Amino acid sequence: MIHNSSPTIVVIGCGVIGLSSALSLQEVLRNDKSKSSWQVVIVSKEWPTSIPGAPTHHSIEYSSMWAGAHVRPIPGTTEQLRQEGLWLKQTVSKFNSLLKAGNQIGLALAPAIEVFEAPGNGYKAQTAESFEADSGLKGYRELTAEELPNGTVLGFEYESYCINSPVYCGDLLRKFIIAGGKTINATLRSVDEASIITPNVQFVVNASGIGFNDSKVFPIRGHIVLTNSTCFDKTITRQNMDGTWNFIIPRFFSGGTVIGGTKEPHDWRRQPDSATCHRLITGVQDLKQHVLSNGSPSQPENMSVIQEIVGRRPAREGGLRLEIEFPGNMNSTESKLPVLHAYGAGGRGFEISWGVAESVAELARSLMVKLDQIKGRLARL
Ligand SMILES: Cc1cc2nc3c(=O)[nH]c(=O)nc-3n(C[C@H](O)[C@H](O)[C@H](O)COP(=O)(O)OP(=O)(O)OC[C@H]3O[C@@H](n4cnc5c(N)ncnc54)[C@H](O)[C@@H]3O)c2cc1C
């Protein structure tokens, strides 16, 4: 039941950004006695129920269901990457505490290996100290020449996280509901529609992945193959000279293994194609040998394909939009509501999720102070 009288924050979107933000907003309200009557409502057209291979279906835009996913830090060589790096470090810290609180949440600590045919300067300059200081991830070690797969010139390993994305998002949604969160199933035509979807909305958080008619938003097509393999206990990523990628991401918690993958900006094709599928499966053979010959206790097995998947990463020129948009006239009782935008996470939504959620919480705190001031002013009129 939604309490009609409760002041409400509406979050649009039930992807990893909307869910993490909604949980952080609940914490903000819990910690502020003056907001004890407030509630958070998630409005979304799709919800985390996906089990690839079962007859459930999600659109390719619902990125959080298709993500591998793993945490893979990228050197901070641009302003956007530096900001994302800060969010990643906050996320790693939160993942640590989530795992301490319970380990059946779709999140697993696992070794990661990265190898490169032509690494950029940022990767070449990395050291164990700088890597841990920048990401919070431990166990960094550069691979020796003998350990590198054919054709690669640099490689390293570290302790990272693999996420079974549908399971993890389902867990976040359950936590949100247990903490009093409410849900509305709806397809919104505009952000403004969210402000009247339930009574007494105070402001809206737009975590809709691709936003609403933002010309800076574009898809990065991701073609991956979900297999039934359970023999991998690490994730490995290979960046090739021609810009292509090969990666293996175990989806722990009975989710098989993701064999990837493509990163194709502005590519709107919806269907998987057999040539790419073949390239991914063949390309991974070398990595497979490498991973399994380096201490994994499991044996190779015959992999079979559960599903060829295409998902769209919700990218945005300049990176994630994180800001409050104020309506024209905030001092009028009839004006539109402020909107806190948090969309356009691109290919990194899981690994930056808790950093973004903490920024959403900070912005929400400042917005609530401002709304209280405006209400005080209007009451005195
Ligand atoms: C193949 C692939 C591999 C990936 N691998 C990784 C990885 O290894 N690590 C990583 O960190 N990230 C990875 N990603 C990226 C990650 O999936 C995204 O960054 C992340 O899921 C974005 O989350 P989001 O919540 O912003 O958007 P989404 O997950 O797309 O969620 C958007 C939500 O908004 C709702 N919505 C949208 N429009 C409306 C509307 N008009 N009305 C109502 N509801 C609406 C949707 O229903 C959905 O619930 C990968 C993505 C792909 C496709």
Side-chain angles (χ1 to χ4, degrees):
M1 258 298 275
I2 292 180
H3 298 290
N4 286 348
S5 55
S6 302
T8 298
I9 304 171
V10 168
V11 176
I12 306 173
C14 200
V16 70
I17 299 295
L19 285 162
S20 315
S21 300
L23 283 160
S24 291
L25 289 168
Q26 285 179 321
E27 197 174 333
V28 168
L29 299 181
R30 266 197 305 277
N31 291 335
D32 181 346
K33 284 198 176 64
S34 73
K35 300 287 178 290
S36 59
S37 64
W38 285 45
Q39 64 178 354
V40 183
V41 174
I42 296 180
V43 180
S44 187
K45 62 180 173 185
E46 295 192 79
W47 302 85
T49 54
S50 173
I51 301 175
T56 49
H57 179 72
H58 286 298
S59 72
I60 67 172
E61 277 85 21
Y62 190 11
S63 194
S64 294
M65 290 305 102
W66 309 122
H70 55 190
V71 174
R72 195 184 61 76
I74 302 174
T77 51
T78 64
E79 200 181 318
Q80 180 184 334
L81 288 172
R82 280 189 286 281
Q83 174 59 72
E84 290 172 356
L86 293 175
W87 285 329
L88 181 144
K89 192 172 178 183
Q90 287 173 288
T91 305
V92 164
S93 169
K94 179 74 177 187
F95 279 175
N96 272 324
S97 46
L98 284 176
L99 274 185
K100 277 187 195 131
N103 58 10
Q104 294 298 314
I105 58 171
L107 176 69
L109 197 57
I113 297 175
E114 290 192 54
V115 293
F116 302 78
E117 287 188 358
N121 288 337
Y123 287 109
K124 284 196 238 172
Q126 224 164 236
T127 63
E129 291 72 30
S130 70
F131 184 86
E132 183 169 340
D134 292 346
S135 67
L137 296 170
K138 299 189 183 306
Y140 183 95
R141 180 184 73 86
E142 209 168 294
L143 301 185
T144 62
E146 295 73 45
E147 290 174 300
L148 290 173
N150 289 342
T152 62
V153 297
L154 175 71
F156 44 83
E157 63 177 13
Y158 51 94
E159 281 298 317
S160 188
Y161 292 90
C162 290
I163 304 139
N164 183 327
S165 39
V167 174
Y168 177 73
C169 287
D171 181 72
L172 296 185
L173 178 57
R174 281 190 292 275
K175 284 179 173 141
F176 171 74
I177 290 169
I178 287 288
K182 303 290 184 289
T183 55
I184 298 176
N185 193 36
T187 301
L188 302 174
R189 299 290 298 275
S190 70
V191 178
D192 293 337
E193 206 184 333
S195 58
I196 48 149
I197 193 119
T198 185
N200 208 2
V201 179
Q202 303 297 303
F203 62 92
V204 173
V205 176
N206 174 14
S208 58
I210 53 174
F212 290 80
N213 304 316
D214 181 337
S215 59
K216 290 186 175 170
V217 169
F218 61 95
I220 302 178
R221 181 176 183 265
H223 186 327
I224 55 173
V225 182
L226 182 69
T227 69
N228 69 343
S229 178
T230 55
C231 68
F232 301 105
D233 60 2
K234 0 181 138 139
T235 174
I236 178 163
T237 306
R238 177 181 177 131
Q239 295 192 41
N240 303 312
M241 186 120 46
D242 62 3
T244 61
W245 299 69
N246 295 103
F247 51 81
I248 296 172
I249 308 177
R251 267 190 171 182
F252 296 104
F253 312 93
S254 307
T257 297
V258 168
I259 304 295
T262 70
K263 299 186 183 192
E264 301 161 288
H266 301 282
D267 188 329
W268 291 90
R269 285 175 301 147
R270 292 178 164 271
Q271 302 302 328
D273 58 280
S274 51
T276 305
C277 184
H278 179 72
R279 178 182 77 71
L280 297 177
I281 297 281
T282 325
V284 96
Q285 294 307 319
D286 186 33
L287 294 182
K288 188 168 126 178
Q289 293 309 322
H290 184 73
V291 176
L292 295 172
S293 66
N294 271 288
S296 167
S298 319
Q299 291 303 309
E301 59 183 284
N302 288 331
M303 281 193 303
S304 69
V305 172
I306 296 173
Q307 194 177 345
E308 291 176 39
I309 287 170
V310 172
R312 287 182 182 152
R313 301 171 179 92
R316 184 170 180 275
E317 284 165 33
L320 183 105
R321 182 176 182 196
L322 186 70
E323 62 178 347
I324 302 171
E325 185 180 356
F326 290 99
N329 182 3
M330 282 284 288
N331 291 322
S332 152
T333 45
E334 289 167 22
S335 64
K336 291 180 180 179
L337 296 178
V339 178
L340 201 171
H341 296 287
Y343 64 85
R348 309 191 72 185
F350 282 83
E351 62 187 12
I352 63 171
S353 53
W354 285 107
V356 172
E358 184 44 45
S359 296
V360 166
E362 264 170 47
L363 286 172
R365 275 189 286 265
S366 70
L367 181 54
M368 288 190 297
V369 170
K370 191 165 179 141
L371 291 175
D372 284 345
Q373 288 167 349
I374 291 169
K375 270 190 198 129
R377 260 203 310 273
L378 288 173
R380 287 195 295 276
L381 286 179

